[in-house]
């Protein structure tokens, strides 16, 4: 499945959680990595600066590249007030649009452009799995908060700009990714594990809502698979094949850490907690039941298809990084 020759890989938004994980991996494999970001941070790879809006010298790095990956976007882990909503939307739409312009203007456009999207684009789904062919885009569910509709609006606007970009020589893939679990500091897994370590890792709300997730190792392998499989384009769900109810998801995390008891968080407790943490309960209460039908059909094999094994591995990696052990 691997990539046989060294590639030039450009990652916009490559200074964030997912981008650093990919850049470190590709750099370690001998590929030439360039990150496009608004600030230079210490790294072993090249950084090209941009403002996320305007064509400038950074676009020269795209000309002649083999793979363009765009992950840029203001974090959604915040309260959805007017200012944050505007930044969440604009940072995704504008970066995607200007990358499309850079590719269209390139003398040697990259053969592949992967653009981040999100598994949150599907409706709140307790009843059945959402795959690329039969999954339903959300936004019209009755009785869901307006913040849930906002995330769908962002995801659909983001994908629309991507789809409309005219780049005839470039294969395009929208990555509808589930939560990417990796032990790096400040990432989603680190945050969830912190809740477990302080005894707050119980189920959220009813615990019935599904959690869609993917181990970071499989995320990287899926990206490599998509690079290698030139017949694949369009929207791809990048998630493990086994989403599971939050209740079971959190129980497996507590077991892996060796903490059998976690305080339940009822909906109103989560609302207050989310206000205090300056985030939105949508991130934990919306049921995301997303499956990777196209990856599976194409023959992709997950190293960590099931959460209990994945979470054991993640806890082990997390503990090794920090020199701590789970209390078994
Ligand atoms: N993490 C996940 O599990 C997950 C799941 C599904 C989808 N996604 C999507 O995948 C992408 C990467 O996720 P992540 O967790 O790595 O996010 P992250 O850690 O917040 O990184 C996002 C990157 O976007 C850049 N950025 C932020 N605001 C920007 C703006 N106004 N203009 C241009 N660049 C801006 C930042 O770069 P600089 O500040 O250095 O310029 C940063 O490197 C995001 O779009 C996210 O929505 C992530």
């Amino acid at each position: 499945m691997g990539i046989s020759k060294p590639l030039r890989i450009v990652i916009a938004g490559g200074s964030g959680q997912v981008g650093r994980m990919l850049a470190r991996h590709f750099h370690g494999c001998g590929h030439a990595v360039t990150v496009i970001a608004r600030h230079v941070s210490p790294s072993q790879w090249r950084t090209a600066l941009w403002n996320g809006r305007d064509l400038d010298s950074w676009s020269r790095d795209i000309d002649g590249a083999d793979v363009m990956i765009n992950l840029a976007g203001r974090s959604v882990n915040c309260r959805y007030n007017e200012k944050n909503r505007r930044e969440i939307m604009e940072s995704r739409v504008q970066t995607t649009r200007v990358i499309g312009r850079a590719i269209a203007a390139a003398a040697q456009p990259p053969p592949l452009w992967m653009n981040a999207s999100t598994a949150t684009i599907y409706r709140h789904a307790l009843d059945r799995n959402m795959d690329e062919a039969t999954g339903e885009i959300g936004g019209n569910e009755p009785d869901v908060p307006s913040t849930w509709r906002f995330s769908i609006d962002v995801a659909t606007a983001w994908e629309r700009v991507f789809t409309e970009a005219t780049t005839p020589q470039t294969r395009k893939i929208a990555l509808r990714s589930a939560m990417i679990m990796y032990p790096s500091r400040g990432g989603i897994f680190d945050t969830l594990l912190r809740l477990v370590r302080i005894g707050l890792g119980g189920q959220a709300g009813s615990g019935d809502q599904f959690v869609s997730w993917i181990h970071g190792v499989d995320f990287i392998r899926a990206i490599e698979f998509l690079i290698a499989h030139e017949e694949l384009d369009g929207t791809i769900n990048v998630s493990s094949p086994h989403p599971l109810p939050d209740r079971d998801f959190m129980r497996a995390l507590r077991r892996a850490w060796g903490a059998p008891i976690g305080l339940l968080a009822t909906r109103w407790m989560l609302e207050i907690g989310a206000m205090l943490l300056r985030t939105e309960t949508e991130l934990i209460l919306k049921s995301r039941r997303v499956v990777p039908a196209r990856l599976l059909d194409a023959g992709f094999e997950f190293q960590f298809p099931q959460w209990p094994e994945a979470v054991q591995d993640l806890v082990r990696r997390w503990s090794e990084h920090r020199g701590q052990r789970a209390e078994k």
Side-chain angles (χ1 to χ4, degrees):
M1 172 207 310
I3 306 165
S4 48
K5 59 172 182 138
L7 300 177
R8 275 182 59 191
I9 300 177
V10 179
I11 310 177
S15 52
Q17 289 286 335
V18 181
R20 279 201 308 272
M21 178 181 82
L22 286 177
R24 200 179 306 116
H25 171 80
F26 286 133
H27 176 79
C29 293
H31 301 295
V33 173
T34 300
V35 158
I36 301 178
R38 293 171 303 166
H39 320 272
V40 178
S41 35
S43 68
Q44 294 167 286
W45 42 86
R46 178 181 148 67
T47 301
L49 290 175
W50 71 344
N51 64 7
R53 285 188 311 275
D54 301 312
L55 270 187
D56 208 335
S57 56
W58 58 268
S59 61
R60 284 201 288 271
D61 283 274
I62 290 184
D63 205 338
D66 296 294
V67 180
M68 175 71 219
I69 304 174
N70 175 28
L71 303 169
R74 190 217 188 283
S75 171
V76 294
N77 190 12
C78 57
R79 295 299 286 177
Y80 292 172
N81 59 34
E82 206 182 314
K83 176 174 173 289
N84 290 343
R85 282 182 191 227
R86 195 173 55 248
E87 286 179 10
I88 288 169
M89 178 70 92
E90 286 181 354
S91 60
R92 286 170 172 76
V93 166
Q94 289 177 344
T95 52
T96 302
R97 185 173 292 133
V98 76
I99 288 169
R101 287 174 58 206
I103 293 177
Q108 245 187 296
L112 173 60
W113 172 16
M114 287 185 265
N115 210 63
S117 175
T118 170
T120 298
I121 198 164
Y122 294 107
R123 69 164 167 83
H124 177 61
L126 290 159
D127 55 332
R128 68 172 182 91
N129 288 337
M130 299 282 128
D131 66 20
E132 296 91 339
T134 63
E136 295 161 65
I137 304 300
N140 297 313
E141 303 95 319
D143 307 327
V144 301
S146 74
T147 48
W148 297 22
R149 181 185 296 267
F150 167 68
S151 299
I152 310 263
D153 289 346
V154 171
T156 47
W158 201 5
E159 284 197 4
R160 192 178 318 115
V161 172
F162 179 57
T163 309
E164 286 173 1
T166 308
T167 56
Q169 296 173 66
T170 300
R171 177 164 66 103
K172 292 195 292 186
I173 296 179
L175 303 165
R176 288 186 179 168
S177 308
M179 283 198 292
I180 301 159
M181 298 294 180
Y182 210 61
S184 47
R185 198 175 291 276
I188 296 169
F189 181 74
D190 189 33
T191 305
L192 288 171
L193 188 59
R194 189 170 66 230
L195 290 177
V196 166
R197 284 161 47 223
I198 62 176
L200 291 175
Q203 70 192 44
S206 70
D208 292 337
Q209 72 279 23
F210 279 73
V211 180
S212 285
W213 59 277
I214 183 168
H215 192 302
V217 164
D218 278 329
F219 182 82
I220 293 170
R221 292 174 64 251
I223 295 294
E224 289 184 331
F225 185 90
L226 293 170
I227 293 173
H229 282 255
E230 293 177 12
E231 74 283 9
L232 292 173
D233 64 1
T235 50
I236 303 273
N237 290 349
V238 190
S239 64
S240 92
H242 299 291
L244 70 171
D246 176 78
R247 170 188 317 108
D248 302 332
F249 179 86
M250 291 309 295
R251 185 187 299 125
L253 178 51
R254 291 196 303 275
R255 283 217 176 111
W257 180 253
I261 300 167
L263 285 184
L264 302 181
T266 59
R267 195 178 186 113
W268 67 265
M269 285 162 74
L270 288 167
E271 295 291 350
I272 294 171
M275 292 274 278
L276 295 173
L277 292 169
R278 312 198 67 70
T279 185
E280 288 288 342
T281 52
E282 179 217 4
L283 300 178
I284 33 189
L285 289 179
K286 177 172 171 181
S287 187
R288 297 172 173 89
R289 194 167 173 180
V290 177
V291 289
R294 293 195 66 202
L295 278 175
L296 292 173
D297 286 350
F300 181 72
E301 289 178 16
F302 284 81
Q303 195 169 322
F304 296 100
Q306 302 281 357
W307 178 240
E309 289 77 29
V311 73
Q312 292 277 355
D313 179 78
L314 288 162
V315 166
R316 183 185 56 72
R317 287 172 191 255
W318 187 97
S319 302
E320 274 173 16
H321 282 188
R322 290 161 185 76
Q324 293 185 34
R325 307 203 119 264
E327 302 138 13
K328 291 263 158 87

